[in-house]
Amino acid sequence: MKICVLAGDGIGPEIVAEALRVLDVLRRDGLALEIEPALLGGCAVDAAGDPYPEATRALARAADAVLLGAVGGPKWDGLARELRPERGLLGIRKDLDLFANLRPALVYPELAGASALKAEVVAGLDILIVRELTGDIYFGQPRGIEVRNGERVGYNTMVYSESEIRRIARVAFDAAMKRNRRLCSVDKMNVLEATQLWRDVVIETAADYPAVELSHMLVDNAAMQLVRNPRQFDVIVTGNMFGDILSDEASMLTGSIGMLPSASLDAANKGLYEPIHGSAPDIAGRGVANPLATILSAAMMLRYTFGLADAADRIEKAVRQVLAQGYRTGDIYSPGTTRVDTRAMGDAVLAAM
Ligand code: NAD
């Protein structure tokens, strides 16, 4: 099992170091994990003049999975667009054809108070949003701004092919099979033909997954239900634009950006795993960042790319335990809990494992 590790910039190296210590425990216990470090983002621009250098491309392509910290920072903000760290991130996602974005939003009971919603609405929340990542109105042609009848007109095209819908639906049904077997497909079929096809193809795909209970919801209602009663959902699948908005809405239900992992998968379940937060330049180098989102990203990698549910459970259980024991980094600290730094949080997870 080859893992390409891209620590990146800012707090990236600090949080990735803790995830690697967790993977080391599993290696010592017999898992055959091979770790290959490489450069992506600002550090790659500094070392090789390219945010996604050829050497990284070769390693990422050869690996079974990629574990990423975060990229970017003020040091590189003034560079030409093609040299910006974010270019490295977009480059690797496109290069590896990662079309399925999986974002869990999970509220640990101890952290329910951090949500902007009432604790009783979100306590125990555990949903997974599966967002299509390479199609939809963001990529559809034709697009542009032009003058018609003497005024400027802007236009984009929402377009999905059957095969694009079917492959993301399969990822979502497969994910639901690994969870509570309930899938809600979100569309806007009452006004958009592209999403009428979306609904039709999702229903056709459901025939292969009789164990999964499929439901459908219009996107406006889904946005409302996510704040009204988010615990009604298990897995949500939706297109690129609706998913962009709903996944950010769902992550904010949890209130703690330092806790949330994500995965972006290709058709063969190869994946790029990363925390949803950025490189946090404001706290970089101080050893205080929360490493749990990155550690949980490593757990997702074991679950989704390598099919090692037991190893993933072991990590996730350890994270639950350290929270129950009261350990908190600064971002999730509240009075009455024990404030720890990045390394001590890693130590606590290792001890719980
Ligand atoms: P950010 O997520 O880096 O930080 C937002 C706030 O959350 C900051 O106050 C930060 O200190 C805090 N925070 C984030 N992660 C934390 C953690 N693990 N522990 C404790 N606190 C944490 O977002 P930003 O400030 O808008 O962006 C900073 C840089 O990161 C920019 O250069 C941006 O382009 C980049 N970025 C990268 C990614 C990525 O690599 N996938 C994603 C988003 C932003």
Side-chain angles (χ1 to χ4, degrees):
M1 292 175 275
K2 279 206 191 90
I3 305 166
C4 174
V5 175
L6 307 169
D9 309 315
I11 59 170
E14 302 163 43
I15 53 182
V16 164
E18 299 311 313
L20 290 180
R21 290 209 296 153
V22 166
L23 292 179
D24 255 346
V25 172
L26 301 176
R27 275 209 294 200
R28 279 202 300 276
D29 290 351
L31 274 194
L33 303 173
E34 264 177 54
I35 310 281
E36 301 264 20
L39 299 174
L40 185 83
C43 60
V45 172
D46 290 349
D50 182 347
Y52 185 36
E54 196 44 52
T56 302
R57 192 183 306 260
L59 274 178
R61 285 182 180 172
D64 301 302
V66 178
L67 182 65
L68 169 68
V71 301
K75 180 177 176 195
W76 303 281
D77 280 350
L79 293 180
R81 200 156 284 281
E82 66 278 9
L83 286 178
R84 298 254 182 92
E86 296 74 19
R87 268 301 165 99
L89 199 52
L90 295 177
I92 191 171
R93 285 180 183 153
K94 185 158 190 278
D95 188 34
L96 300 182
D97 199 13
L98 305 171
F99 68 89
N101 186 225
L102 274 59
R103 285 196 18 187
L106 201 146
V107 174
Y108 298 88
E110 298 85 359
L111 302 181
S115 173
L117 297 189
K118 293 191 194 96
E120 64 265 28
V121 175
V122 295
L125 176 76
D126 180 359
I127 62 185
L128 175 70
I129 300 207
V130 179
R131 166 189 172 195
E132 202 286 329
L133 210 51
T134 53
D136 205 347
I137 196 164
Y138 293 175
F139 295 92
Q141 295 288 347
R143 60 194 297 155
I145 301 174
E146 63 189 31
V147 176
R148 295 180 193 166
N149 301 326
E151 67 169 346
R152 284 173 301 162
V153 174
Y155 56 97
N156 292 86
T157 305
M158 176 178 268
V159 54
Y160 265 123
S161 68
E162 252 184 290
S163 56
E164 285 176 307
I165 301 167
R166 194 164 289 117
R167 68 178 185 172
I168 190 73
R170 288 200 166 281
V171 170
F173 278 107
D174 286 338
M177 287 294 290
K178 293 178 181 151
R179 296 172 44 101
N180 292 321
R181 302 188 173 191
R182 287 187 296 115
L183 177 62
C184 178
S185 172
V186 171
D187 59 42
K188 188 73 182 170
M189 59 81 86
N190 52 343
V191 284
L192 297 170
E193 285 81 358
T195 75
Q196 173 67 59
L197 180 69
W198 175 281
R199 187 174 290 205
D200 294 346
V201 174
V202 170
I203 290 171
E204 289 162 24
T205 310
D208 295 336
Y209 297 88
V212 176
E213 182 194 315
L214 174 66
S215 61
H216 305 272
M217 201 177 271
L218 298 176
V219 63
D220 41 349
N221 187 25
M224 197 167 68
Q225 295 298 331
L226 268 174
V227 289
R228 195 185 71 87
N229 176 19
R231 282 182 303 206
Q232 70 187 281
F233 297 108
D234 178 22
V235 180
I236 292 175
V237 64
T238 189
N240 202 348
M241 179 167 59
F242 298 158
D244 189 359
I245 300 163
L246 294 181
S247 63
D248 266 21
E249 183 187 1
S251 68
M252 279 303 103
L253 298 176
T254 74
S256 33
I257 195 173
M259 295 296 305
L260 296 176
S262 76
S264 304
L265 303 177
D266 77 358
N269 271 348
K270 174 172 177 163
L272 172 80
Y273 297 85
E274 56 180 323
I276 70 158
H277 61 71
S279 57
D282 53 332
I283 55 167
R286 289 174 31 208
V288 297
N290 186 345
L292 294 179
T294 314
I295 289 172
L296 292 167
S297 297
M300 279 190 92
M301 173 179 77
L302 296 169
R303 186 180 306 281
Y304 288 100
T305 290
F306 298 122
L308 297 168
D310 288 348
D313 284 344
R314 186 173 168 202
I315 296 172
E316 289 164 1
K317 229 175 110 193
V319 168
R320 282 175 201 275
Q321 189 175 322
V322 302
L323 293 174
Q325 287 168 329
Y327 295 113
R328 303 281 189 273
T329 42
D331 57 314
I332 51 174
Y333 175 79
S334 60
T337 60
T338 310
R339 193 181 189 120
V340 293
D341 62 12
T342 310
R343 177 42 71 110
M345 186 58 107
D347 287 341
V349 174
L350 296 193
M353 284 177 76

